[in-house]
Amino acid sequence: ETNTAAKDEL
Amino acid sequence: MNIFRFLGDISHLSAIIILLLKIWKSRSCAGISGKSQLLFAIVFTTRYLDLFTNFISFYNTSMKVVYVASSYATVWMIYSKFKATYDGNHDTFRVEFLIVPTAILSFLVNHDFTPLEILWTFSIYLESVAILPQLFMVSKTGEAETITSHYLFALGIYRTLYLFNWIWRYQFEEFFDLIAIVAGLVQTVLYCDFFYLYITKVLKGKKLSLPA
């Protein structure tokens, strides 16, 4: 499933 | 965190450091596109607005601070400190053709229609094309200093490694972000021509020269 955006990435 | 993302961050950080040192040590920004560096400063500013509101880890926060600070320092060196060495005649890419479409697209295609999310999406889209003025400048001047090609290689490899990071995260964390992945693919594809020249020329000790 599409997870939330890659906010934990730089 | 996985090895691909970690190596990607290291590669990105080293690209930023290489460029900073190149300009500072040689006291010259010859061959460097100020427009691309401006775009990178915009990318980091719009992406890290949650720097003070959303703590993820010490690593994450410190890297964001380093990225933002060094991108502004690079822009300052190009447009202020060493502006006499800035080669504006060859840095002529129309950045509005990058900023406007990516800004519009970030309103149309995003995960959530909120200011922070739209700005994050804009920064993802903008980053995928931010290197174009630099690649355009290299093709216009017909060549690049070896240190500049190392900078470009490290910068290109970082997002390529992030593609592997997203494969890893999809496999083991059931996680994927289509916006970041598609933009990352576009970004990596734009470097392919340069990667080919870098591997066939620079690694053999020759100077990087693009067909003008």
Side-chain angles (χ1 to χ4, degrees), chain A residues 4-10, chain B residues 5 48 117 165-166 169 177:
Chain A
T4 53
K7 290 301 178 302
D8 60 328
E9 295 177 346
L10 289 173
Chain B
R5 183 148 66 117
Y48 300 151
E117 189 64 30
N165 152 62
W166 288 318
R169 295 191 77 178
D177 178 333

Side-chain angles (χ1 to χ4, degrees), chain B residues 180-196:
Chain B
I181 292 171
V182 172
L185 275 170
V186 168
Q187 185 167 335
T188 301
V189 163
L190 291 177
Y191 278 89
C192 286
D193 173 31
F194 168 77
F195 282 152
Y196 172 75

Side-chain angles (χ1 to χ4, degrees), chain B residues 111-164:
Chain B
H111 289 307
D112 189 22
F113 201 79
T114 60
L116 261 184
E117 189 64 30
I118 288 175
L119 283 167
W120 178 84
T121 309
F122 168 65
S123 103
I124 292 286
Y125 293 151
L126 186 62
E127 186 192 4
S128 65
V129 292
I131 200 61
L132 280 175
Q134 179 66 66
L135 294 177
F136 181 75
M137 182 174 191
V138 171
S139 68
K140 248 192 124 174
T141 51
E143 43 113 44
E145 287 177 46
T146 301
I147 188 74
T148 308
S149 53
H150 293 321
Y151 157 73
L152 282 170
F153 184 72
L155 198 59
I157 284 298
Y158 126 74
R159 212 64 179 170
T160 309
L161 287 166
Y162 257 68
L163 294 177
F164 292 105

Side-chain angles (χ1 to χ4, degrees), chain B residues 8-58:
Chain B
D9 291 340
I10 296 304
S11 177
H12 193 185
L13 182 66
S14 51
I16 290 171
I17 304 292
I18 288 172
L19 184 64
L20 265 177
L21 288 180
K22 173 247 185 291
I23 298 177
W24 186 256
K25 290 260 183 248
S26 69
R27 303 182 68 73
S28 158
C29 57
I32 301 300
S33 162
K35 295 186 172 187
S36 277
Q37 298 312 313
L38 264 179
L39 293 178
F40 286 127
I42 296 170
V43 163
F44 291 136
T45 307
T46 52
R47 187 174 302 181
Y48 300 151
L49 292 170
D50 63 349
L51 178 59
F52 304 109
T53 59
N54 178 12
F55 180 79
I56 290 169
S57 69
F58 176 73

